[in-house]
Amino acid sequence: CGAMEQFESFRAEMDASNAVREQLRSAVSELDNATRLMNAALLPIHHSSSGDSIKKAKSYLPEIRKAYMELTAIIKARPEEYYKYHDYWRNQTQVVVSLLAFSHWLETGDLLSHADAQELLELKKEDFFLDLDDYLVGLCNMSSELPRYVVNQVVAGAYDCPERVSLFLSDLYSAFRLLNLRNDHLRKRFDGLKYDLKKVEEILYDVKIRGLLTGKESKTPEETK
Amino acid sequence: CGAMEQFESFRAEMDASNAVREQLRSAVSELDNATRLMNAALLPIHHSSSGDSIKKAKSYLPEIRKAYMELTAIIKARPEEYYKYHDYWRNQTQVVVSLLAFSHWLETGDLLSHADAQELLELKKEDFFLDLDDYLVGLCNMSSELPRYVVNQVVAGAYDCPERVSLFLSDLYSAFRLLNLRNDHLRKRFDGLKYDLKKVEEILYDVKIRGLLTGKESKTPEETK
Amino acid sequence: CGAMEQFESFRAEMDASNAVREQLRSAVSELDNATRLMNAALLPIHHSSSGDSIKKAKSYLPEIRKAYMELTAIIKARPEEYYKYHDYWRNQTQVVVSLLAFSHWLETGDLLSHADAQELLELKKEDFFLDLDDYLVGLCNMSSELPRYVVNQVVAGAYDCPERVSLFLSDLYSAFRLLNLRNDHLRKRFDGLKYDLKKVEEILYDVKIRGLLTGKESKTPEETK
Amino acid sequence: CGAMEQFESFRAEMDASNAVREQLRSAVSELDNATRLMNAALLPIHHSSSGDSIKKAKSYLPEIRKAYMELTAIIKARPEEYYKYHDYWRNQTQVVVSLLAFSHWLETGDLLSHADAQELLELKKEDFFLDLDDYLVGLCNMSSELPRYVVNQVVAGAYDCPERVSLFLSDLYSAFRLLNLRNDHLRKRFDGLKYDLKKVEEILYDVKIRGLLTGKESKTPEETK
Amino acid sequence: CGAMEQFESFRAEMDASNAVREQLRSAVSELDNATRLMNAALLPIHHSSSGDSIKKAKSYLPEIRKAYMELTAIIKARPEEYYKYHDYWRNQTQVVVSLLAFSHWLETGDLLSHADAQELLELKKEDFFLDLDDYLVGLCNMSSELPRYVVNQVVAGAYDCPERVSLFLSDLYSAFRLLNLRNDHLRKRFDGLKYDLKKVEEILYDVKIRGLLTGKESKTPEETK
Amino acid sequence: CGAMEQFESFRAEMDASNAVREQLRSAVSELDNATRLMNAALLPIHHSSSGDSIKKAKSYLPEIRKAYMELTAIIKARPEEYYKYHDYWRNQTQVVVSLLAFSHWLETGDLLSHADAQELLELKKEDFFLDLDDYLVGLCNMSSELPRYVVNQVVAGAYDCPERVSLFLSDLYSAFRLLNLRNDHLRKRFDGLKYDLKKVEEILYDVKIRGLLTGKESKTPEETK
Amino acid sequence: MLRAPLFAATKRAMSTSTATNAFHSRFQQYALQLDATNERRERLVKASRDVTIHSKKVIFVIHRLNDSNRDKIVEQAEKDLAAVRDAHVSRVAREVEGVDYWKLKRAFSPGMQEFVEAATVVEFCKTGKLLTLQQLNSSLCGVKDASGVSFSVDIDDYLLGIADLSGELMRLAVSSAASGQGLEASARIRGFVQALYEGFCLLFYNVDGGRDMTKKVEVMLQSLVKIETTCYSMHVRGSEYPASIVDS
Amino acid sequence: MLRAPLFAATKRAMSTSTATNAFHSRFQQYALQLDATNERRERLVKASRDVTIHSKKVIFVIHRLNDSNRDKIVEQAEKDLAAVRDAHVSRVAREVEGVDYWKLKRAFSPGMQEFVEAATVVEFCKTGKLLTLQQLNSSLCGVKDASGVSFSVDIDDYLLGIADLSGELMRLAVSSAASGQGLEASARIRGFVQALYEGFCLLFYNVDGGRDMTKKVEVMLQSLVKIETTCYSMHVRGSEYPASIVDS
Ligand SMILES: [Mn+2]
Ligand SMILES: [Mn+2]
């Protein structure tokens, strides 16, 4: 019924697509590796001086940028298919964003913007951009680190940390509420953000009610070390 | 065997039923949207003046009523099929009830009754009623917001809030215990209520043991602002 | 907070609803029992004279009607809750329909119509109706008994049976094809009907090529005994 | 609070119960092994002389009895815990029953009774009995072997086999219909029995319509060889 | 094939077993009801004088005993089937044990022993015993009520309560540590006990550092009212 | 705690193992490709001349052997880790065996032995062998093709095919019964074999009962074309 | 000492107005982007649902086919199919251009697959041939996306659609067997689905979409076996007696 | 004509004896191989069960530890652990050599993981340090496999074992908090599990074993958070009043 010729041609086309996938797999595997090292480098933030951790974490940025350059090279050749292969780098990208946003907040107390994240990763927007959803999920990922961070900071004696984090998360939370989230992945992560905020509010409450907050000097996370 | 004519009429009937489903889907999508906005408007209650939040939240009530009017119009024509399609609006209705009951409590310190909830939604009982289970689940939803509310109120210095909420939840809890709940969804939600009460009692304990409560006069939630 | 009085009334309402469930359970248990006995009475049709079986089967009809009268009495008081409790009697009703439709066909060679089924069960349409889907599933159930019936009839020497059944199932099949079935339970049952028809066609073919059919006059199933 | 002594005795009790489980596991593993061998010995029935297969199958009976003696020894010491550990031997027992009942039918054309099954296994009823449900499930298991048996017998020229099996299954089927089966495991197995009967009836039909049956005298399964 | 007579007797047996289930269901429904009422009666302990609550709670004991008498009557006739039907009363029994153990502790400060629990329920050990696992799960259930009890007692001014509960839970905890628990339900419940103890320790600490404990003489919970 | 150095060394070790995995993936991807083509080449056996199909299928053997040579090279360097990486080639190998065994049977009517399979694939037993389980699963896979093959052969008029296949499968089945299969993957596949045999027996029955078998000359599958 | 009151002030400010939130304006931008995509996705989901519903109706029309009404039914089905294309597929096309085709694909894939199923089943009934992807896309050349480019179905949706086609053909084969005739019709379906199946076995599927596909190919094989078994049972019955007797 | 009777004859022959089955003898060979492996696997499963049960008992002993009985308990646990090694791990070792280590690994992995858990928890209680894989394997150097080579635990089992270790340490931390003391003990556990967790985050896991590991690392993080929260709540309570008051 003439099916065979058509399927032969499909096979050729699928072989080509598989070749792209192999290239993507390899680029993403580098990205994955660098991200994992960056993550491991940042983790001691919970018990050691944050300065060192951030510095060490940032040292993996060139490797990460290189991996994105490879991804860019592959996708640039087929610009309309960015989302066809999106799943390959989606998870890693969300982790990268969360690590960058966490470091940025630790250093400046500010939220890393979408544009700044793209710049930090040296993405050329017209060839390979940072998907907005991935950026937002990355922010939620970061937020889920904060309750643990606050707990450990309080143990280290930084009693003003809960208030600062509570204000930051509260701002982030009301910013997210500006978005009309559908019933999707992002909405679930946003519910997580609410939970993180609640956690931090409870820690703030613990500190406040014991009078540990008043009269202490407020410092940036850095300074408390 | 004469089956043909009969099945022609069945066909008409089934096509009609599919049309009803399409209409319901559309009405519920509006309800969902308005409910989400109302929820977003009420949530800042945790950090800001409650007056504004409640006012803003209430501004979505007309939209919500409109959605229920559409549902009413559809169901009125087939009163015996209310429960055939109940699942379409069940979740949204439970959320609406929780928002209304929370606002009502904030303003008056009282529990929004089933009848008042129906009135607020301008439901005509004979055409489209508020299912009792949905109302009760809505109350449980509301109760799950209260511990967080109390935590934030105490942080803001409203030390008498835990006692008021503890009394309210304790009353609500004993009221629920009057019901012979079967082993169903509602029973699980009721267990949640017990947990919320426990949480608020712990906050009351914290405040009491630190001598923060004594000598303060009790006020309505509004006045504590 | 005034909750107590309200919840007392809820308790009454919920206890009433639980009572309804108990009543339904009891009525359905009778229905189930009578249906099972009717089924057991009709099944020997495969090996014995159908007259006796049908008669015996029909003798359970009063009991079945009584069960539906009980259901009607319960639902009549709350017409809008028919579908709230539909699951209680759904399965049994489908079986009842299949048994009645089978008996009816055995006696008359005709398809039991939706209206006739309601009448046979002495349902008062305005108080308790026969759901259309249940009726249609019942017909599919009946059809799945027919190939076995034909096999046993031919073994017993009733060589004209395949032709009659084939015509009947063909008609039923064309009638079902009129419906726009969603991809659900009913569509699957309808696929089964197709296989039943095919099976009967094969038997008709067997009988035909052996010249067992020719010269015999067509009779009702009853007369072939 | 005197809890210590009590818990010491609990500890002894729980350790003992774990020991029982270990013993049961070992006895059942022997039972499992012997059952598997018996099954393998009986299966060639489909293609070979049944006499040899039955004899070989029966040769595993002593081993099976031994395993039950071990189970008996364990349970006898704690009669009220028969059902606490029932799951350990349930499956194997159902298979054993099906094998014994199949052999018995092949040899005698009769149904192995519950009492005879217990006797064959040399169970002492007061110490370790054959659960009724297990016996009945075993019968259903046996019935599921019969359609294949009939197919192979007809291929081997034993054209009277379908009629004999059809009568046997039909009897068994009506017998099962006497039971008020709840909606459980057994009910599902019983539905399988109906399917087996239908299958055998179709073979009987095939043989009958082709005139292969007439004039043959009925024999026991053994004699057909 | 002689099956009919046998199956008639099976039918009798299964009908009997179904009757047993119906009886059990009814007895357990009474047990469930009484347990729920006892629970509701004991719960105000958190906010009111314990004397009244315990007395009220105990007033349901006769009803509970009656339900167990019914269970005993049913099981006594078939001692080896205790575990066949164990699931029917398992949950309720665990709740009953927790309520009895809680009341007992409130009155005496002692742990209700396994033997005493059986006596309180007037179980005749040889006919119907209290399963050890159920007793232990009941103790864990009770322990999970204690932190909330201590919180509310301290709020009510009973500052010596934390110390008494802490000693009691400590003892219970060490006792549980004697058991070699398999990785099952019970081990998880035991982990919960640990958290309960920790929570109570924290409250004891709160009370101690505030000098609320010193100089007060220890009293039974009753006297603190 | 000295953990870090150890984990660094683990990381090195895991990197090495990942490199092996990359090599394996690439070799297996070639194997997979060739297997798929071989399968597609053999499939027309169901409707066309088997000679051509087998020839075409065999033309992929060199490619398959090459893939196994690569696997051999990788594993030879770590002879003890054959089973560590077994999962990589397990599925494909089972398919390869089934295709080879099917072709072999089509050509010779014989069963391809384990040793012959290894030889066909040119495996050097001391470096890279064919796992016995994989060989046996491969045979089961082949058997699952046979019912479909027989159906299509009968349609093509080869009425003796069912008998030949039935004998072959029956032999294979009794051979498998010699094995003590535990409750594992292989056992399930063996149950499938039983089902295939039953299917073929039914086809043999269909052909036999219609007198299509007698007097026809028996041919090898090849000759029937 | 310095920042503590600052924070407190921030908090109070926040309490009365959210406008001071440092990153609100950025999030308002994000909201605009998300809303645009979401609305587009909503429209696509609706259009896709309509494509599905109406394609299914075309398939139902085909199932009403028998020997006597073939031409009329096929003509009707073709007309209906063209209507689906013009009324609903065009609505899908209008929403997707450039990078959004793949971004929003999940929203319209189900509809397009059902459309493929309907189009190929109609073609088979008319010509007995497989409507190729190229032919299908030619028939869509009048359907333009937002930038005026012709909309086209991609390989994945095409393959998933014709995988389901085998199920509908199985129903047709059983129907024609059930109508007591159709030995020839069934044989045609058998050959067609065998070829389809062999074509599918040639392809291999990447991990992501692969799972869907593997399952569909299994279902396809089941349908094929049912078709073959139908042909088989018609054949053995037909072989039992000489044709002369049967025809008489 | 020629083969039909032959087949029939074969069938009859088969009916009376299966000995003529052409490939029976080959399958008898296969049966021997399979039986040997299966029996070995059975013995391993049993030995592994015993290793598990007795390792769990060692862990239970550790959980009975408190400030006053520390030395006695640790000594007892060490003795018990050595007994598990000599009595049961040796039975595992005996069955595995060469290619069979990986072939039968699934049969003894659970036991070895539990053994790792027990050995590391004992070491932590004794020294506060992580028992390394190298140290563990040195302690097994007397345990020989069938070919006389020392048996050793591989990385996977070691990692899976110490992932579970964090759960036991969490229990210890909560216990020591529950006993009203142990601020220091909890802090030690916190530091130890933090280091463990960071170590795990460095590694990456291949697809096959990866799923297990990912889940275990998640559970590990949960345990760590519980430990940190325990330390936190002891800390904030301790900070509320000056130490002098608390001690009085
Ligand atoms: Mn379809
Ligand atoms: Mn553990």
Side-chain angles (χ1 to χ4, degrees), chain H residues 106-136:
Chain H
R106 240 172 263 170
F108 64 86
S109 260
M112 293 321 297
Q113 290 171 23
E114 203 70 34
F115 183 71
V116 168
E117 194 179 333
T120 50
V121 83
V122 170
E123 178 75 12
F124 175 79
C125 289
K126 195 180 171 193
T127 68
K129 293 225 177 82
L130 175 66
L131 182 72
T132 65
L133 178 55
Q134 211 179 2
Q135 289 167 334
L136 177 67

Side-chain angles (χ1 to χ4, degrees), chain E residues 11 39 47 52 79 82 99 106 132 166 189 212 219 223:
Chain E
R11 183 197 184 138
N39 194 9
H47 294 121
D52 290 0
Y82 179 93
L99 295 173
L106 285 165
L132 182 54
S166 149
R189 305 304 310 263
L212 297 169
K219 312 173 206 165
E223 291 166 331

Side-chain angles (χ1 to χ4, degrees), chain C residues 183 187, chain G residues 56 59 63 114 117 161 164-165 167-168 171:
Chain C
N183 266 329
R187 176 150 205 209
Chain G
K56 270 194 198 303
I59 296 171
H63 280 298
E114 203 71 35
E117 196 179 332
D164 283 350
L165 167 65
E168 300 300 337
R171 289 193 175 94

